[in-house]
Amino acid sequence: DIQMTQSPSLLSASVGDRVTLNCKASQNIYKNLAWYQQKLGEAPKLLIYNANSLQTGIPSRFSGSGSGTDFTLTISSLQPEDVATYFCQQYYSGSTFGAGTKLELK
Amino acid sequence: QVKLLQSGAALVKPGASVKMSCKASGYTFTDYWVSWVKQSHGKSLEWIGEIYPNSGATNFNEKFKGKATLTVDKSTSTAYMELSRLTSEDSAIYYCTRDYGDFWGPGTMVTVSS
């Protein structure tokens, strides 16, 4: 099974900050990676697919990068509405999610 | 617009089974896999498995083989998941998604309690 490791588990940042979330796969998954945002009481929402493609309707301050085993989600200028938990997911072989990064305002 | 409408919350007794539904609209149901995802309280997400409505083909996370059964009704564009031999560990929110997750249903909360 492919394991996904996210870091950090908790991130505190200020409005306007550039924020970087990391995700590492236990084996090569090429670019078969998605990022999701989940707010309290809601279903996850797709932000990025194929490692760096922005889902329709998602603000351009969100971007993804990486391939192989190491991936990054970047928020270029943090907004209050970005407070949420972020999950990465591999879909190269079945599907596996990371444990999540909880993003809060400092 | 794509929508996935899931059945309501269920309270079930240990050892029983539960069957939940996911009705799709806004796209051609038979063209996309439907996946099911478990989220235990306050925890991460677990992929249970997927079904391709056109053929009924399925793939499962090994952990959920024997626990989950996936079916579809093409005539109503509805996917179903049945969970059997329920224990407290099965208490969770269960989501259906289109394909790997570009659209998600609102979730069905299952509580296993006597």
Side-chain angles (χ1 to χ4, degrees):
Chain A
D1 290 2
I2 299 174
Q3 308 302 317
M4 306 301 292
T5 303
Q6 290 188 243
S7 62
S9 56
L10 176 64
L11 181 58
S12 297
S14 301
V15 172
D17 281 355
R18 182 179 182 87
V19 171
T20 299
L21 287 65
N22 301 297
C23 178
K24 188 175 184 67
S26 61
Q27 66 184 71
N28 188 353
I29 59 170
Y30 301 90
K31 299 187 80 173
N32 294 281
L33 183 106
W35 288 95
Y36 296 88
Q37 175 192 68
Q38 186 177 32
K39 297 183 179 180
L40 201 61
E42 298 181 6
K45 176 169 51 173
L46 178 66
L47 302 175
I48 301 287
Y49 62 96
N50 293 344
N52 59 13
S53 296
L54 190 68
Q55 174 70 341
T56 302
I58 301 303
S60 59
R61 64 180 180 273
F62 291 93
S63 64
S65 64
S67 65
T69 60
D70 292 289
F71 302 87
T72 299
L73 174 70
T74 300
I75 306 173
S76 61
S77 178
L78 186 67
Q79 300 301 303
E81 61 266 31
D82 300 335
V83 169
T85 299
Y86 293 82
F87 295 98
C88 63
Q89 176 207 32
Q90 69 80 18
Y91 46 89
Y92 172 70
S93 174
S95 177
T96 319
F97 293 86
T101 293
K102 186 175 182 179
L103 179 58
E104 63 178 27
L105 287 179
K106 192 181 294 183
Chain B
Q1 67 283 28
V2 174
K3 287 190 177 179
L4 298 172
L5 180 63
Q6 294 190 242
S7 46
L11 172 62
V12 292
K13 295 188 185 308
S17 298
V18 65
K19 189 173 185 178
M20 63 193 78
S21 64
C22 171
K23 183 172 175 60
S25 61
Y27 72 98
T28 302
F29 180 62
T30 50
D31 284 353
Y32 293 83
W33 290 81
V34 173
S35 286
W36 292 86
V37 176
K38 177 184 180 182
Q39 186 167 38
S40 302
H41 180 66
K43 294 188 178 179
S44 185
L45 303 157
E46 289 184 280
W47 179 73
I48 296 170
E50 60 185 352
I51 185 165
Y52 190 57
N54 198 31
S55 64
T58 56
N59 297 301
F60 284 94
N61 179 339
E62 284 291 327
K63 177 180 175 180
F64 291 94
K65 284 183 178 178
K67 167 63 71 175
T69 301
L70 305 182
T71 56
V72 296
D73 181 344
K74 290 190 283 187
S75 69
T76 60
S77 298
T78 303
Y80 297 92
M81 180 172 70
E82 183 170 20
L83 301 173
S84 61
R85 299 182 303 278
L86 292 167
T87 73
S88 59
E89 294 297 307
D90 297 313
S91 293
I93 297 174
Y94 293 88
Y95 295 101
C96 64
T97 81
R98 190 180 80 162
D99 207 2
Y100 54 83
D102 58 351
F103 291 92
W104 292 59
T108 293
M109 180 176 292
V110 173
T111 303
V112 182
S113 175
S114 55

